[in-house]
Structures are given as structure tokens and as C-alpha cells.
């Protein structure tokens, strides 16, 4: 039954000032003692204090957990779940980029389903319901507030595990573009390029549907149109457009899955703790070239957005489009060679083998063995 | 806080053959004894029997309720709710066009919240949760399987009541294009024009958001492109495209609301029991002309889709677009004058006054008094 597609997203509350609905949302979901997850950066920017004020205005009790790193670790979710249970908290609120949000999902999962986070690696392995979750993204990139994905690092194996389940979709996503304004240029780029990859990989995914394709295309168009001015001006208008794009990309990849690029990106993050958003400019064009024979028409449609026109054939449009995307990624002044993030070329086979086991590879439009992935890495070196 | 928008939709299972997931979905929602709502047309086409087979395969018990008319009545929801409670049913499954689906929502509402359906007329007046609902649309039009709307006729007052609440969004919408194949030409037209109106009214709505605008535009494009071949060929491909369009339009209007056209259409249905889908060709162009000064740019964007190009100014594009839509509606050989469905011109003031009280009018882009609505009716006469 290959023709059947699922499309599922959280309730979305979007707009400038929407943060102030946080308390009300937690209340509606039965909250009395909220478990708030965030990080140091958002404390410093004043947003954690602001959320706590909003919760207190709603007469909610709260506890706060921030013991989370970028590329969140298994033991951090275990410690968080223990704290959640000891404190008898109820609604989980995450405020942050992908790391606090993914960690909050891991905490919700372990607290409600028991065991270790490793027990749930892969797709559809969660059987008991999770506590209610309200997520507030602080970057326009990860889409974790929309998606059924949580990516947690298994420290011992040095693997970024993909945990995918409908129950990991938060109940409510509160997207307030005002929260994006305190982000650094590097974080804006990393997040937007992450969203672009979500959009492109979901668009060409083997299980893309008309519903996800629409969202992927919307995201690609908005990112291309607004990323430059978002970086140059930090204008609220362009940041808002990027957050619409990131949300659209989240709707797409959550339901259509990702591909070889994210499989490799997860492996890089697991082995070298690389900032997730910054590995995409290195890998994306090479993965697109690899996928080209399997989905020329779709890559041509993406190419048309970047080129502003169609060339004579789909293939020409696709090839020129990939070149344009490569130049686009290079224009941000971020690393563009794999050797900038991998310590030693001899580590490539291990990297490729790990990526070959990533669940994201299942929806890649062209089948890829570890040798194929190895070849992509060599091209990207 | 005018900038804050909500976007909420059910879980969607879409595709040829997706009907077979009905039993599994009911099970997942805790079903043991299902309350199935449908109508005579779908019995005759064999779909009711098919759904019952699917439920039995999943070892679900079921009861069946079909005592529903087009433009479903208040007393039909009361009788249904009584039956539901007496039989101690749980999950409510609706299979049908707008009437069985809206009636099923009314039954779910009265069964769980008590009182009379009239008690909930208007927006956000439902306070207790509803039973789980799985909806299977059999037409590509009403969007009731996606939306937070239920339209029920108050027989005594001869009013079609709009009942709007987040809790009226079904848990799961199963959209199987195969189910559309048994529909008559008249029903295909009526449904597609209804979806077109949902898309256009939500696009120009005062509370449209980037998320709803994207869906509105997608629906407009797909309907324009596919309705002719759907009517002429009944091909599965074009019916499938119309059902994607209707779903997109449902996502849009559920979250952005409708406008003056639907306010008038509800009054017509309440007073004369007119088939809902067939009043739009009469009213839509005239309402668009009335709204033009308030949203010229947006109507121009719609016009561009129908014209395939932009004219010199937004106004010209909008005006020519409305003419094209008028011709498009006329091409289906359906009534296009109000006198074809209203018995007596002297009834227009009553019609306009009733429409002025419809909650759909609140999101119309241009304010309209009953005299304005009366004027629109005279134009449409």
C-alpha cells in the first residue's frame, strides 16, 4: 500500500507575541507543575525569565532543567527524566533550538515509558503515551517543535540515534518570531541551512506526498528569498519568514522523512560532536548529485527556484540548480569541505558505515550502500 | 494581539486504499463499539458494507445510524446522541459528504456535552471533550473531516447554525480517492465549487495566516486545473487531485474562517433547504466584487491563477479574474441566478438579515451590514 501517506502536525500558535500564550497552553493541557527545559544562551538572552513570568502569571508551579549540551546526550535525558519524576511535574515545556527540544522529548519519553533512551532507537518503538508537551523554538531550523523526530547521542557508541514516533510530536508549538531576534549570525545560518536540507531531502523522499511536497517547496522558496537579508539585517520581517520556512520544512520532513544527507550529518555529529547545522553546506550538494539519477525531475523543480528559470532539460536545470545551491551555501563563509570537520581521512569508512545504519537512509530516493556513502564523503573531502 | 494565528488540523491518512485503515484507527483511539454514521447513497454504492467489513475484521462491534438528511437537522443530532448513549458506543466514524460528517459532529457534541445542539451555536462554546472521531469524506468539498466547523439546521428558526470549536476537529481524517469514484456529476461539481469557495474566502479572510494562505492557494490552483477533467472523465487521477484540493481548502478555512458568501449560503440553506454546493456559483462572484476594495491585491493573486497572467494593475487583474471565475462557474450548467433558488424576491431582506448574524461574516475582509448583503443579493438576483 505504497500510495497511503500520513500527515500529522501539532497545533501551531504562530506570531509576534505568541510566547505569552505559553501559560494558558500548559493550563489547557492539565498543567499544574511545569517542567521547563532550556539552556544557558536563552537564560542570558532573558527568555527563560520571561517564560517563567508567564507561567507564574498563570499561577503554575515550575521546575527548571538546563543540564543539556549541543547534540544532547543519552545520560542528560536519563537525569532529566529522574528529576521530572521526583518532582512530580506534568507538562513539559521546551524553549530552545534543536538541542533543548530534542532533549525534552527524550526526557518525556524515558519518564513515561521507562528504561533507557536507547531502547527506543529507530521508528515506531514507543508504546505508552507521553506527558503533554508545549515547545517554543528559538531558532528557525530544527523543526523539532513540529516533528516526530528526536535525535539523541549515545555517548558510548558515539552514535546520534534517530528516535521517530508519532507520539514525539508535541501537543502545541508556539512560534514567536520575536524570540529569534537574539540569535547570532552563525546560529541563523546553521538553522536556516538545516531547514533548507529538511525541505530538500523531504521533497525528494521516497514517501513524499502532495501535502509534504507543498510544504517543502514553500520552505525552499522562503529560505532562498530571505536568508541573505536575515543575516545582513537581522530584520524581524526576514527572521519571521525564516521561521515560517522552518515550520513548513518541519511539517514536510516529519511526515516524509529525510535522506542520505541527514544520515551522514548524524554520523558526523555522533563521531565529532559537530554543530549539526554547519555540516549541511559540506554534504548537501554532493548528496544531491548522488540522488540526481533517481529524481531528476524533482531536483529540477528545486533548481528552478534557485535559478529563477528552467533550462532546456530537467537534467540541465537540476545540475545547474545544484551548482547554484553549492554557491549559495559557500556564500555564508562556513566550512565547505569535509576535511574541515573530520580529523582524519581514515575515519571516513567508519563514518559511512554508521550512516548506512541510520533510519533516515530508508527514505532516500536512491539506494545507497556504505560504499556509496563513502564515495559521497570522498567527493566532499 | 492581531498577529497571532492558530493552525490546527487532524491527523490525515491519505491515498488510494487508505479506507482499509479505518478499523485500526478506531482501535488505536480506544474503540470497542463503534458508532458509524453514513447515508443511503453510500449504502447503495456499497461503501457502508465495506466499512463494516473492515471494522469486523478488526473485531470491533458497531452500530449504524443513517437517519440524516442533506442540510442535517437539530433533531437528527439529538436522536443520534440518544442512540449513541443508549448503545454505549465509543468511537464515532462518519462516512459521507458534509451532511453525515456535520451530523456526526453534532451527535458527538450532544452525547458528550449534553443539552441541545442549539446551546453551542457560535464560536468556542464547547467545554467538555468529545468522543474520538474518525472521518472518511466521500466528496471532495465540505472539508468537514478537517475543519472545526459543524453546520446544523435549527428547524424551528429555519437557520443553519455555525458551530465552531477546536474540539470539533476529528482525530483522524481518512481520505481515500477511491471512495469518490461513485459520485454523480452534480455532486462532484457542488463539492468542488464548495471547496473553491472555502479556498477563496479563507484566502481573503481577515485572519488568514501564511499557513492558511499557502493551503488556500494550493486548493484554488488544483481545482481550476482538475475540475473540468473530473467532470468529463471521472478519472481517478483528477478526482484525487480534487480531494487534495478540498483537504487543503479545509485546512485553510478551518483556521482562517470564511466570509460573507458562506454567511449568505447558510441562510439560503436554512430558509430553502438548498443544496449547499449549488448556491456558490450564484453568490461567489458578487461577494468577490463587494470585497474587492478591501483586498484588491489578494483578489488579484486569485485572478492571476484563473487568467494565467497579470494585467497592468492589481485592480484590473482582480476584476478580470472575477469575471473569469463567473464564467467558470457558469460553464457547469448549474443555476447562476438567485431567483432560481429563492421563491420570492420579497424574502431577500429576511435572508440578508439572517446572514448578517452568521458568525462567518466576522472574518469577511470588508464589513457588511444587512443592507450590504441585501444589495449583494439584488446583484445576484
Amino acid at each position: 500500500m505504497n500510495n497511503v501517506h500520513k500527515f500529522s502536525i501539532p497545533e501551531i500558535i504562530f506570531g509576534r507575541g505568541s510566547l505569552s500564550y505559553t501559560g494558558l497552553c500548559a493550563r489547557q493541557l492539565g498543567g499544574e507543575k511545569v517542567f521547563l527545559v532550556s539552556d544557558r544562551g536563552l537564560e542570558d538572552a532573558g527568555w527563560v525569565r520571561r517564560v517563567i513570568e508567564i507561567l507564574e502569571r498563570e499561577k503554575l508551579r515550575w521546575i527548571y532543567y538546563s543540564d543539556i549540551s549541543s547534540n544532547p546526550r543519552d545520560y542528560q535525558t536519563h537525569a532529566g527524566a529522574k528529576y521530572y519524576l521526583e518532582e512530580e511535574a506534568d507538562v513539559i515545556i521546551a524553549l530552545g533550538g534543536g538541542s533543548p527540544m530534542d532533549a525534552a522529548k527524550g526526557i518525556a519519553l524515558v519518564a513515561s515509558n521507562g528504561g533507557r533512551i536507547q531502547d527506543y532507537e529507530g521508528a515506531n518503538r514507543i508504546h505508552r503515551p507521553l506527558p503533554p508537551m508545549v515547545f517554543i523554538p528559538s531558532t528557525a531550523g530544527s523543526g523539532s517543535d513540529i516533528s516526530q523526530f528526536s535525535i539523541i547521542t549515545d555517548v558510548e557508541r558515539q552514535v546520534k540515534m534517530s528516535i521517530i514516533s508519532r507520539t514525539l510530536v508535541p501537543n502545541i508549538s508556539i512560534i514567536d518570531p520575536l524570540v529569534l531576534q537574539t540569535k547570532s549570525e552563525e546560529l541563523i545560518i546553521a538553522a536556516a541551512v538545516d531547514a533548507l536540507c529538511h525541505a530538500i531531502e523531504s521533497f525528494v523522499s521516497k514517501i513524499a506526498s502532495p501535502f509534504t511536497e507543498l510544504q517543502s517547496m514553500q520552505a525552499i522558496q522562503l529560505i532562498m528569498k530571505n536568508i541573505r537579508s536575515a543575516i545582513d539585517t537581522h530584520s524581524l520581517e526576514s527572521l519571521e519568514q525564516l521561521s515560517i520556512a522552518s515550520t513548513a520544512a518541519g511539517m514536510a520532513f516529519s511526515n516524509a522523512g529525510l535522506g542520505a544527507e541527514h544520515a551522514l550529518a548524524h554520523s558526523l555529529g555522533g563521531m565529532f560532536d559537530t554543530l549539526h547545522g554547519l555540516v549541511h553546506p559540506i554534504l548537501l550538494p554532493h548528496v544531491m548529485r548522488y540522488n540526481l539519477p533517481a529524481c531528476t525531475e524533482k531536483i529540477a523543480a528545486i533548481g528552478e527556484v534557485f535559478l529563477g528559470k528552467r533550462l532546456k532539460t530537467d537534467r540541465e536545470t537540476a545540475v545547474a540548480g545544484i551548482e547554484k545551491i553549492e554557491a549559495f551555501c559557500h556564500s555564508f563563509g562556513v566550512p565547505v569541505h569535509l576535511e574541515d570537520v573530520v580529523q582524519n581521512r581514515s575515519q571516513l569508512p567508519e563514518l559511512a558505515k554508521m550512516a548506512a545504519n541510520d533510519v533516515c537512509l530508508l527514505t532516500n530516493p536512491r539506494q545507497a550502500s556504505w560504499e556509496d556513502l563513502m564515495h559521497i564523503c570522498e567527493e566532499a573531502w
Side-chain angles (χ1 to χ4, degrees), chain A residues 71-147:
Chain A
N71 295 322
R73 324 283 199 236
D74 46 6
Y75 61 84
Q76 294 166 341
T77 66
H78 298 149
K82 189 159 169 278
Y83 185 39
Y84 174 92
L85 292 170
E86 280 168 3
E87 292 286 336
E88 300 183 7
D90 40 56
V91 174
I92 295 186
I93 298 182
L95 165 69
S99 301
M101 290 196 287
D102 278 2
K105 287 182 181 179
I107 291 167
L109 169 53
V110 174
S112 55
N113 281 255
R116 297 162 69 231
I117 188 82
Q118 280 82 350
D119 301 339
Y120 307 98
E121 186 178 0
N124 303 321
R125 303 192 51 195
I126 302 174
H127 298 299
R128 281 202 288 267
L130 268 58
M133 297 187 278
V134 178
F135 278 25
I136 308 158
S138 68
T139 62
S142 77
S144 181
D145 55 306
I146 303 291
S147 84

Side-chain angles (χ1 to χ4, degrees), chain A residues 203-221:
Chain A
F203 189 69
V204 300
S205 158
K206 276 206 289 206
I207 60 166
S209 77
F211 302 104
T212 62
E213 285 167 358
L214 179 70
Q215 301 295 344
S216 299
M217 201 34 89
Q218 161 91 333
I220 293 168
Q221 288 166 340

Side-chain angles (χ1 to χ4, degrees), chain A residues 193-231:
Chain A
V193 176
D194 195 20
L196 179 65
C197 284
H198 293 156
I200 290 176
E201 291 217 286
S202 60
F203 189 69
V204 300
S205 158
K206 276 206 289 206
I207 60 166
S209 77
F211 302 104
T212 62
E213 285 167 358
L214 179 70
Q215 301 295 344
S216 299
M217 201 34 89
Q218 161 91 333
I220 293 168
Q221 288 166 340
L222 288 176
I223 292 166
M224 201 216 44
K225 229 162 118 178
N226 294 285
I227 191 171
R228 196 69 262 170
S229 74
I231 295 167

